Amino acid sequence: MKSKILLISLIMIQSVMAERTCEEYILDEWTDSRYTNKTISGDNFVTDHKIGLMCKQCLEGFSGVDCANDSATTHTWKKAQVLAETNNTIGFAGFSDWWLTNQKELRTYAVRNCYIPSINENVFPNTPSDWF
């Protein structure tokens, strides 16, 4: 069975710095148990067991186990597609079928009960509160 893998090469549009807010009355469908974080050959990625996809753990440009090293990079859509192909060529995490996520796929990582940022910060640490 072919791995369903997706590359989140996120495009930074606007920077917003604020403290995360979560609404307790909205069901949290993005618990830590939904995901598995792995490192293969120094490459960090996340498997989302609910949707069956894998993605890079760190925003493009960041590195390290906690995604705190280096800095985010900004890319046009075309350049982001080239980055996906580059990850295939180098075999990021041992895989060669990465692709640039579309809006629908990216939305599956946005949590409905939290905002700024609306992503599971335990699974995707140091994700900036930016538009992607």
Side-chain angles (χ1 to χ4, degrees), residues 20-68:
R20 179 185 177 107
T21 303
C22 295
E23 303 297 344
E24 298 299 324
Y25 66 91
I26 300 173
L27 177 65
D28 180 7
E29 297 177 10
W30 294 265
T31 59
D32 294 354
S33 62
R34 174 178 167 164
Y35 306 97
T36 301
N37 290 33
K38 292 185 182 176
T39 301
I40 295 178
S41 302
D43 298 329
N44 303 325
F45 65 97
V46 174
T47 301
D48 182 333
H49 300 289
K50 183 172 182 175
I51 61 173
L53 295 177
M54 295 166 56
C55 66
K56 292 176 91 173
Q57 181 182 26
C58 300
L59 183 68
E60 199 63 48
F62 284 118
S63 62
V65 176
D66 59 358
C67 302

Side-chain angles (χ1 to χ4, degrees), residues 80-104:
Q81 290 175 314
V82 170
L83 285 170
E85 288 304 315
T86 300
N87 279 285
N88 288 331
T89 301
I90 65 171
F92 183 86
F95 297 97
S96 60
D97 55 352
W98 296 99
W99 72 84
L100 184 63
T101 183
N102 60 40
Q103 282 184 330
K104 183 178 179 181

